[in-house]
């Protein structure tokens, strides 16, 4: 059974940092694009960042670029999202996902990803 589990969310003050992790089990995802998405209450799920299989290519939403860093460790079947300089508008449930049918990181549409975690809540207070 394939399972993606996110962790590392929590409550942080504006300007603070959090590091999210995503651990995959049930299959190996080392060959696939990995992405982070988020969804705030009443809003659609939106793209945050993506990384290719080797880690050599990354892509960020304009709203998080220069503040967030995506990384992966294929040996451990894990991925991370380092979030710095957090803002209240970053408050959302954050999801990790893998896309087994895409080959580029510039695919921000959630429906291009086929394996999803359950999400972890990030709340940034002002």
């Amino acid at each position: 059974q394939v399972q993606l589990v996110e962790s590392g969310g929590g409550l942080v003050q504006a300007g603070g940092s959090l590091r999210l992790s995503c651990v995959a089990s049930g299959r190996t995802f080392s060959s696939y694009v990995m992405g982070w998405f988020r969804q705030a209450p009443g809003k659609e799920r939106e793209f945050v960042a993506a990384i290719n299989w080797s880690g050599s290519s990354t892509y960020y939403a304009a709203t998080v670029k220069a503040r967030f860093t995506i990384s992966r460790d294929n040996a451990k079947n894990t991925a991370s999202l380092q979030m710095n300089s957090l803002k209240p508008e970053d408050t959302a449930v954050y999801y990790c996902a893998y896309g087994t049918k895409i080959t580029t990181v510039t695919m921000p549409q959630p429906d291009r990803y086929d394996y999803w975690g359950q999400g972890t809540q990030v709340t940034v207070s002002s």
Side-chain angles (χ1 to χ4, degrees), residues 3-126:
Q3 195 172 20
L4 303 181
V5 179
E6 302 95 336
S7 62
L11 174 63
V12 64
Q13 287 189 331
S17 298
L18 283 174
R19 185 177 181 86
L20 305 183
S21 296
C22 174
V23 179
S25 61
R27 69 170 290 173
T28 299
F29 289 97
S30 57
S31 301
Y32 305 116
V33 172
M34 185 273 169
W36 285 96
F37 293 78
R38 66 187 182 186
Q39 188 166 17
K43 295 187 176 181
E44 292 187 351
R45 190 168 298 189
E46 66 173 4
F47 171 82
V48 174
I51 187 168
N52 73 337
W53 70 274
S54 67
S56 62
S57 181
T58 57
Y59 182 58
Y60 296 92
T63 52
V64 307
K65 197 171 184 179
R67 298 189 298 123
F68 291 10
T69 302
I70 189 172
S71 61
R72 66 191 296 166
D73 185 339
N74 288 336
K76 298 180 179 179
N77 226 17
T78 62
S80 297
L81 185 69
Q82 177 67 41
M83 306 186 296
N84 299 329
S85 302
L86 284 162
K87 305 175 181 180
E89 50 265 43
D90 294 318
T91 294
V93 177
Y94 283 70
Y95 300 88
C96 65
Y98 282 90
T100 63
K101 299 178 178 65
I102 56 176
T103 57
T104 175
V105 295
T106 56
M107 286 282 186
Q109 300 87 355
D111 60 3
R112 303 306 296 266
Y113 290 75
D114 42 9
Y115 289 94
W116 291 84
Q118 84 292 343
T120 185
Q121 177 70 47
V122 171
T123 304
V124 184
S125 62
S126 57

